């Protein structure tokens, strides 16, 4: 298992009841080997969320890189 940590600040001008971040994890060749997800409930406008996106990876090779795939909120 791997984890990606970061901070997301809600600058949308509205409050959210649910927010999710998704990352794609890649091997050294750039192939996708896993995804990482993190979510929270209730993120008000102007508030920062310190998140931890937990990842599962296919195979034994550790991720060489990752990139943000999506941020969803409603």
């Amino acid at each position: 298992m791997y984890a990606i940590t970061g901070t997301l600040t809600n600058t949308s001008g509205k409050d959210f009841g649910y927010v999710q971040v998704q990352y794609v994890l890649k091997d050294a060749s750039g192939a996708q080997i896993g995804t990482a997800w993190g979510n929270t409930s209730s993120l008000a406008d102007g508030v920062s969320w310190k998140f931890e996106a937990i990842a599962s990876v296919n195979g034994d090779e550790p991720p060489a890189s990752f990139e943000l795939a999506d941020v969803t909120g409603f």
Side-chain angles (χ1 to χ4, degrees):
M1 299 294 286
Y2 297 90
I4 298 168
T5 59
T7 302
L8 181 132
T9 302
N10 180 359
T11 60
S12 68
K14 62 181 183 175
D15 298 341
F16 290 96
Y18 178 84
V19 176
Q20 176 175 285
V21 293
Q22 176 188 1
Y23 286 84
V24 173
L25 286 76
K26 297 180 178 184
D27 66 13
S29 73
Q32 181 173 334
I33 58 172
T35 54
W37 302 84
N39 59 63
T40 190
S41 58
S42 186
L43 187 62
D45 182 44
V47 173
S48 294
W49 165 42
K50 291 185 179 182
F51 66 85
E52 181 175 71
I54 303 299
S56 60
V57 177
N58 298 328
D60 295 330
E61 184 178 356
S65 65
F66 60 87
E67 66 182 50
L68 181 64
D70 195 23
V71 177
T72 305
F74 54 86

